[in-house]
Amino acid sequence: MKHELLYCLCLGLLSAAFATSPDYGPHWKAVEGGVYQREYSGKDWPGIRWNPQLTPGTWYRLSCEVQSSVATPPAFCIALERGDGKGQAWTPFVVGRNWTPCVLYFYCREPDLLCRIRGIGTRSADLRLRNLSIRALTEQDFAENLLPDGGFEAGEILPPFWKNAWRAKAYRWRIVPNSDFFAGTKNLEISFVPKREEPSGLVSQMLPVRPGHEYECRFWAKTAEKEYLLGSILQLWTQFGPHTGKHHYVRKSFKLTPEWRECVIRLTVPEDDGSIPDLRDRVANLQFFGEEKRGGTVRIAAVSVREVK
């Protein structure tokens, strides 16, 4: 594929992404050890602006670590604005009192892209930021877990790389201490309500995918009920919106019991022939949902999404 042939060139052009430096503006103040800090009032929007030099046809990873004096969801976001004014990718992150990693993947179609990094929400807070960087993805990145913090170790109350599913309002998911899973110290717990009563569930942040490749999602799950049917979707989705046209996805349900079981979903990403508009952005996400008529509590651990073919 022509996009894959760009990788060798990308590795030699990584420094180009740093040709311009972030503009922290008057609100973010440099403090010790490369940390920037600001007082967020809960209503003002000025943030960090960055116009990195990017190479079209390349996947990028923008990352930083953020700390908030108030653990309220969500408290921080990274927005990508296309220079032609035809799209914006707005990604919220749940950050807490501990340093929280924030990772945003995106595919560069046009080199003119503005990154805005700022506080959000209605509660005032002191925000601190460090290690802001951007780099092109490599072949090794696609061979490893593309989902940041698949073990849910980074979050304080809510996992930072997830958000409510469409139309869901209440945060019915949280990080809890690991009960009896064989690895890690934390699990994700989701308290589903019947879908016909209230939308619930959650969806991951965008994950990079390449046309013509297959992706495998693995996770472990169990329920507090005698048995419960957990639904999952691995899908292509637009990052810069809006979603139109053909929807390409794999939907699978898993019958859970109080014993941990491994669950697997596979998605083949077709070549981009223009029939799937979402594929232009080269990203996918993972979604969990509950039963139509019955609520239930589910625990999830060790989530991974990898390119396998």
Side-chain angles (χ1 to χ4, degrees):
M1 288 179 56
K2 62 180 180 180
H3 295 306
E4 295 179 41
L5 295 176
L6 286 170
Y7 278 141
C8 292
L9 295 173
C10 290
L11 294 177
L13 293 171
L14 284 179
S15 60
F18 297 91
T20 59
S21 299
D23 177 8
Y24 288 88
H27 298 280
W28 288 87
K29 307 295 184 182
V31 291
E32 79 287 346
V35 175
Y36 287 82
Q37 180 175 317
R38 70 154 301 179
E39 295 180 3
Y40 173 63
S41 70
K43 60 181 179 180
D44 59 327
W45 285 88
I48 301 166
R49 294 169 55 93
W50 194 6
N51 282 106
Q53 292 187 1
L54 305 173
T55 303
T58 306
W59 288 260
Y60 285 93
R61 182 186 192 271
L62 193 156
S63 63
C64 60
E65 293 176 285
V66 183
Q67 189 180 60
S68 171
S69 61
V70 177
T72 178
F76 186 77
C77 83
I78 300 175
L80 302 176
E81 300 176 7
R82 289 174 51 183
D84 58 10
K86 295 183 179 180
Q88 181 184 83
W90 191 86
T91 305
F93 294 92
V94 179
V95 300
R97 297 178 180 88
N98 300 322
W99 283 109
T100 305
C102 299
V103 176
L104 174 62
Y105 293 108
F106 66 93
Y107 177 75
C108 176
R109 283 193 283 155
E110 302 292 337
D112 187 11
L113 195 69
L114 173 65
C115 303
R116 294 180 183 270
I117 302 169
R118 59 199 182 195
I120 57 175
T122 58
R123 296 186 64 183
S124 59
D126 291 333
L127 297 178
R128 292 162 63 89
L129 178 144
R130 68 184 183 186
N131 298 332
L132 176 60
S133 66
I134 187 171
R135 66 171 178 83
L137 296 188
T138 66
E139 288 288 344
Q140 186 60 34
D141 288 313
F142 284 96
E144 297 175 351
N145 189 359
L146 294 167
L147 179 67
D149 190 36
F152 306 103
E153 300 290 338
E156 182 177 346
I157 300 174
L158 302 177
F161 302 105
W162 298 78
K163 60 183 180 179
N164 268 336
W166 183 60
R167 295 176 61 192
K169 297 180 179 179
Y171 287 85
R172 300 188 179 278
W173 39 279
R174 60 182 181 138
I175 293 174
V176 295
N178 182 12
S179 57
D180 56 351
F181 189 63
F182 62 82
T185 64
K186 299 177 182 178
N187 304 147
L188 172 67
E189 183 178 86
I190 313 172
S191 299
F192 292 107
V193 295
K195 287 179 63 177
R196 64 181 183 180
E197 294 181 10
E198 176 189 333
S200 62
L202 71 165
V203 60
S204 74
Q205 306 289 15
M206 296 298 185
L207 307 174
V209 295
R210 299 189 287 186
H213 290 262
E214 185 177 5
Y215 293 83
E216 180 182 84
C217 171
R218 289 180 176 268
F219 60 92
W220 290 77
K222 71 173 186 175
T223 181
E225 322 307 323
K226 184 177 180 180
E227 63 177 40
Y228 192 76
L229 200 63
L230 172 67
S232 58
I233 296 177
L234 190 58
Q235 62 184 352
L236 299 180
W237 200 255
T238 179
Q239 189 165 29
F240 288 89
H243 165 69
T244 59
K246 186 178 178 181
H247 185 195
H248 186 77
Y249 66 98
V250 173
R251 175 172 176 161
K252 195 170 181 179
S253 296
F254 301 94
K255 182 181 290 187
L256 304 183
T257 69
E259 299 295 325
W260 288 103
R261 65 160 292 185
E262 188 176 28
C263 308
V264 180
I265 319 169
R266 286 184 174 236
L267 173 71
T268 299
V269 179
E271 297 290 349
D272 190 0
D273 61 4
S275 64
I276 305 174
D278 289 342
L279 187 50
R280 292 176 299 180
D281 289 337
R282 307 289 200 267
V283 289
N285 61 32
L286 172 66
Q287 182 173 343
F288 294 120
F289 57 92
E291 296 184 11
E292 185 74 26
K293 300 179 181 180
R294 189 166 66 104
T297 300
V298 169
R299 283 201 176 202
I300 293 175
V303 186
S304 66
V305 178
R306 287 184 170 85
E307 186 177 278
V308 292
K309 288 184 181 180

